[in-house]
Amino acid sequence: MDDSRRQKWALPPGHFSRIYRVIGRVVAARGLPNTDTRGKSDPYCVVKGIRSNNHMANIWITKAVQNTLSPHWEESFDYMVPPEWGLVELVGLKAMVFDADDYIISYQGNEDFLGGCDIDLSGAVTGRVMNFELELAGIPVNKAKGKKPRLTIVVTVYKEVIPKPDPLMDQLLSSVRKMEYIREVVGKVVKAQALRNADLVGASDPQCIVRVILLNGEARE
């Protein structure tokens, strides 16, 4: 590439390119292992965003399809990357398939893992539709039984060039100048689902602890 073309595609000073939107469709899976002793698995798919700091973001969770090893979901998602991420970018997707216990679905999944795969978005072209049929990995040998399950998913990303945010210290100082105090927080703990059982006999006896983090880093219950 000559210097003129290289300059044409160069980012403006103080700017960076990021994925700001990802649209997709979880189509189907096939060849899944069976984790049920009676009947077949009830698969659902969890899609998470992989951030450049290795943290995850919840993007989509499908419904559970009952009694099948070849589920067809055909569910679409549309995720906007929050501007609050700053310089942390969306660099990939992680798709995981689980067997729903008592038809309960959760972003955390459960112990009945049916396989997962990653999709690298770092080199994706904005606006281009990408069709994937990916092998699901991570299944224990005793569950796989020689099968190679696969997931079909369609993804499109959209990118933008925006100014780099101010350094964190500058943002902190700016926020202190315009500080607003939260004087009261009111909430209600409702319920939890699909918790892990930590007891050898019987079921767990869960309790929920809510902590408040103060500006000085102190945590209060």
Side-chain angles (χ1 to χ4, degrees):
M1 181 181 295
D2 58 36
D3 291 340
S4 60
R5 284 180 58 87
R6 187 179 292 110
Q7 186 174 1
K8 178 181 178 181
W9 290 104
L11 292 173
H15 288 64
F16 77 109
S17 174
R18 70 164 199 147
I19 295 174
Y20 74 92
R21 184 183 185 185
V22 56
I23 298 175
R25 188 172 80 255
V26 184
V27 181
R30 57 184 173 87
L32 297 176
N34 190 16
T35 58
D36 289 355
T37 54
R38 296 182 181 179
K40 298 178 181 178
S41 299
D42 307 311
Y44 69 96
C45 183
V46 173
V47 179
K48 291 178 177 281
I50 304 174
R51 304 170 63 184
S52 56
N53 60 2
N54 291 325
H55 293 175
M56 296 289 176
N58 294 333
I59 289 184
W60 189 254
I61 183 170
T62 71
K63 65 180 182 297
V65 182
Q66 299 180 23
N67 197 37
T68 180
L69 302 181
S70 298
H72 284 260
W73 294 290
E74 291 290 350
E75 294 191 27
S76 299
F77 59 86
D78 189 342
Y79 182 78
M80 302 295 294
V81 177
E84 293 77 17
W85 285 15
L87 291 173
V88 177
E89 300 179 56
L90 179 69
V91 296
L93 297 177
K94 179 179 287 291
M96 297 170 288
V97 181
F98 298 91
D99 177 20
D101 292 330
D102 299 324
Y103 311 118
I104 296 174
I105 60 176
S106 167
Y107 274 110
Q108 284 69 44
N110 55 45
E111 61 185 14
D112 291 332
F113 180 63
L114 303 182
C117 59
D118 291 349
I119 300 174
D120 182 8
L121 299 179
S122 59
V125 177
T126 184
R128 178 178 295 176
V129 179
M130 298 175 289
N131 294 274
F132 298 97
E133 185 176 287
L134 303 170
E135 183 175 333
L136 296 174
I139 308 167
V141 175
N142 61 329
K143 291 183 179 180
K145 297 180 180 178
K147 294 183 178 180
K148 293 184 177 180
R150 305 188 76 83
L151 174 73
T152 302
I153 185 170
V154 180
V155 178
T156 306
V157 302
Y158 295 91
K159 296 182 178 181
E160 64 180 354
V161 175
I162 59 174
K164 290 183 179 179
D166 295 330
L168 291 178
M169 183 56 67
D170 292 347
Q171 295 182 43
L172 178 60
L173 292 175
S174 177
S175 67
V176 170
R177 297 188 191 102
K178 303 175 182 178
M179 182 174 293
E180 295 181 357
Y181 291 92
I182 299 174
R183 298 186 178 275
E184 183 179 9
V185 177
V186 179
K188 180 171 67 174
V189 179
V190 181
K191 65 178 181 179
Q193 294 179 329
L195 296 178
R196 182 179 62 86
N197 188 12
D199 290 354
L200 296 177
V201 179
S204 299
D205 305 307
Q207 64 171 337
C208 180
I209 298 175
V210 179
R211 293 189 174 95
V212 176
I213 310 299
L214 305 182
L215 184 61
N216 62 3
E218 180 186 353
R220 294 184 182 179
E221 297 182 359

